[in-house]
Amino acid sequence: MNIALFMLPKSMAAYLYDDYTVRQALEKMAYHGYAAIPVIDREGYYVGTVSEGSFLWYLVNGEGGELHPIDISSLENVMLKDVPYDKRNTTVNISASIEEIYDKVLNQNFIPVVDDRQAFIGIITRSAVIQHLREKSGIDEQD
């Protein structure tokens, strides 16, 4: 089965560029209501996923949980690429097997999809996979 059937193409998916400021990133995440979102560079390559937790841990420093000496307004000058990305949201190649998708969707809300050059081309959401499984199992929409 071709996993492209599950994929939301890049042109329809929300994502951030790694040269956005933290303020721009937070505004876009808030606008879409997302807790996590893919980050790509200007060449179109996936570089990671940033989440609400990524921003929180950027602001918190040290084992004791002391706050960074950062003025919130200064976040307009902090680039997104300076925030540590979540490395657990791993990609799949467009030629991945459906079994690989099933394995990844157990641990990720969405799966970034890359082409053979490793360029970001879209995402597969957990809900798209669940919907496919529902249709495949013959469960009626009104059950």
Side-chain angles (χ1 to χ4, degrees):
M1 169 177 281
N2 187 342
I3 68 165
L5 298 173
F6 300 115
M7 189 178 75
L8 183 64
K10 178 181 175 182
S11 62
M12 297 176 67
Y15 55 90
L16 304 171
Y17 287 107
D18 67 350
D19 62 358
Y20 277 10
T21 66
V22 169
R23 178 182 171 191
Q24 289 172 308
L26 287 169
E27 286 174 349
K28 190 162 187 179
M29 286 178 69
Y31 174 80
H32 289 286
Y34 294 154
I37 194 166
V39 180
I40 65 174
D41 63 18
R42 288 293 175 173
E43 286 75 44
Y45 294 99
Y46 175 79
V47 295
T49 294
V50 69
S51 66
E52 293 169 335
S54 302
F55 295 114
L56 174 64
W57 290 115
Y58 177 76
L59 295 173
V60 174
N61 183 23
E63 292 179 22
E66 313 86 41
L67 290 179
H68 272 289
I70 286 183
D71 177 17
I72 296 300
S73 65
S74 71
L75 293 178
E76 289 184 9
N77 302 318
V78 177
M79 303 307 288
L80 184 56
K81 60 180 113 188
D82 296 329
V83 176
Y85 302 132
D86 188 344
K87 302 297 183 196
R88 295 172 294 175
N89 234 23
T90 57
T91 64
V92 293
N93 187 281
I94 188 64
S95 61
S97 69
I98 190 67
E99 290 78 17
E100 188 176 351
I101 299 302
Y102 292 157
D103 289 342
K104 286 191 181 291
V105 82
L106 289 173
N107 301 307
Q108 298 177 203
N109 289 333
F110 66 89
I111 306 164
V113 182
V114 296
D115 64 15
D116 291 335
R117 299 175 302 123
Q118 299 305 304
F120 176 77
I121 59 172
I123 63 171
I124 296 174
T125 63
R126 182 181 286 163
S127 61
V129 174
I130 292 171
Q131 181 63 32
H132 166 74
L133 292 172
R134 183 178 187 177
E135 291 168 2
K136 187 176 174 181
S137 70
I139 295 175
D140 186 36
E141 289 278 332
Q142 298 180 353
D143 283 348

